[in-house]
Amino acid sequence: MVRLIRIILLICSLAVRMHAQPPAEQVSKEQSPKKEADSAGKIPAPLPAKAQYPLDSFTDFSALMVGSIMETGEGAAEAHIYRSGKLMRVADPEGDGYFITDLSTLETYAFSTGPCMHDTHPYFRVSPFPAARPGSSVERVAVGKETLDGHSCQIEDITVSSPKTGSHLKMRFWEAEDLQGFPIKIEFLRPGARSSIIRYKNVALGPQDPTLFIHPKSCQSAPQRARLKTHKAPTAPKKPSAGGSQK
């Protein structure tokens, strides 16, 4: 239960900056995948930018998620994830419970051995599924093809921009052609060597068991981090004046 509360507090502190990034920078040449030549030996021209956020197309699936936006480089933590419509369920990697996030409201319900808890922020492991909020703009640019884990993948650079905050989230998706374009690898592209990589294994597309997403209508509110209060330094006692009386 104590660990669950710590995770909820982590959600609160990370949710605001989870997707925020400085203006998108161009990906370095080292990060650019090799483009496959066509039969005439020419490099195919990039596809025109698309407006739809690709993850919005996958509303019913299950998978094993390896890594998260919070891990640098190739992530190692594994968690089973499920999606049904606007609800996502993510198991705690250490087996202490699970989380259900409503992608439309970004509210999260956490379940463990104790009473359920409710928070107004998304669980960080559902990222980047709720990245394209209403009003955001999405840019999609095809950059090549690659075979990954036995899947022939189209590679796209995805940039989600928020006019409200001015932030940009830049990612690279490896979209498996035999999984209807589901991204089996997502890399969060950040300046320097701070990228994070998520892989999705054992992807099963289709309706999920609806009982996995049932949660109480009311849960205990998650504790909020207390604001630090500034205390004034104690005032030094006044010294008696030279002409004062002594007792």
Side-chain angles (χ1 to χ4, degrees):
M1 184 64 182
V2 173
R3 183 176 180 277
L4 181 63
I5 293 176
R6 289 175 179 172
I7 293 176
I8 290 291
L9 291 175
L10 178 64
I11 295 172
C12 296
S13 62
L14 296 178
V16 175
R17 61 185 178 90
M18 182 172 64
H19 294 129
Q21 288 188 356
E25 298 185 6
Q26 207 164 16
V27 183
S28 64
K29 294 181 180 179
E30 291 77 14
Q31 290 177 305
S32 299
K34 295 180 180 179
K35 298 180 180 180
E36 297 182 357
D38 58 18
S39 58
K42 298 180 180 179
I43 300 297
L47 296 175
K50 303 173 186 178
Q52 182 184 12
Y53 187 50
L55 294 181
D56 287 345
S57 301
F58 303 101
T59 57
D60 295 279
F61 72 89
S62 63
L64 177 65
M65 175 183 179
V66 184
S68 74
I69 191 174
M70 298 311 301
E71 296 180 66
T72 303
E74 290 273 2
E78 296 186 351
H80 288 280
I81 65 171
Y82 311 84
R83 180 173 181 179
S84 178
K86 293 297 184 180
L87 297 178
M88 285 198 73
R89 170 175 168 150
V90 184
D92 177 32
E94 297 190 16
D96 290 340
Y98 62 93
F99 301 81
I100 294 178
T101 294
D102 187 323
L103 299 180
S104 60
T105 64
L106 301 184
E107 295 175 284
T108 295
Y109 298 86
F111 302 87
S112 186
T113 54
C116 72
M117 302 193 73
H118 169 260
D119 189 73
T120 56
H121 302 91
Y123 182 41
F124 69 91
R125 292 189 185 277
V126 305
S127 180
F129 283 86
R133 304 301 298 160
S136 300
S137 62
V138 178
E139 180 185 11
R140 298 174 60 173
V141 179
V143 293
K145 293 187 67 174
E146 184 180 330
T147 298
L148 181 65
D149 298 334
H151 301 272
S152 177
C153 298
Q154 296 281 347
I155 305 176
E156 281 192 298
D157 278 350
I158 312 293
T159 302
V160 180
S161 302
S162 170
K164 183 177 181 180
T165 63
S167 63
H168 304 275
L169 177 65
K170 192 170 183 63
M171 301 168 284
R172 177 162 288 167
F173 284 19
W174 280 254
E175 300 162 353
E177 295 177 339
D178 59 340
L179 292 173
Q180 302 177 26
F182 188 96
I184 59 174
K185 177 181 176 180
I186 295 177
E187 181 176 4
F188 295 88
L189 303 174
R190 305 186 183 101
R194 299 185 297 111
S195 296
S196 300
I197 295 175
I198 300 175
R199 292 179 181 266
Y200 297 94
K201 301 179 178 180
N202 305 331
V203 178
L205 303 177
Q208 302 298 305
D209 182 354
T211 62
L212 293 173
F213 306 91
I214 297 175
H215 60 79
K217 293 184 178 180
S218 60
C219 291
Q220 179 180 339
S221 296
Q224 303 295 318
R225 288 184 180 274
R227 294 184 179 181
L228 295 176
K229 296 182 179 180
T230 303
H231 296 277
K232 295 182 179 180
T235 304
K238 294 183 180 180
K239 295 181 180 181
S241 58
S245 59
Q246 300 288 335
K247 291 186 178 180

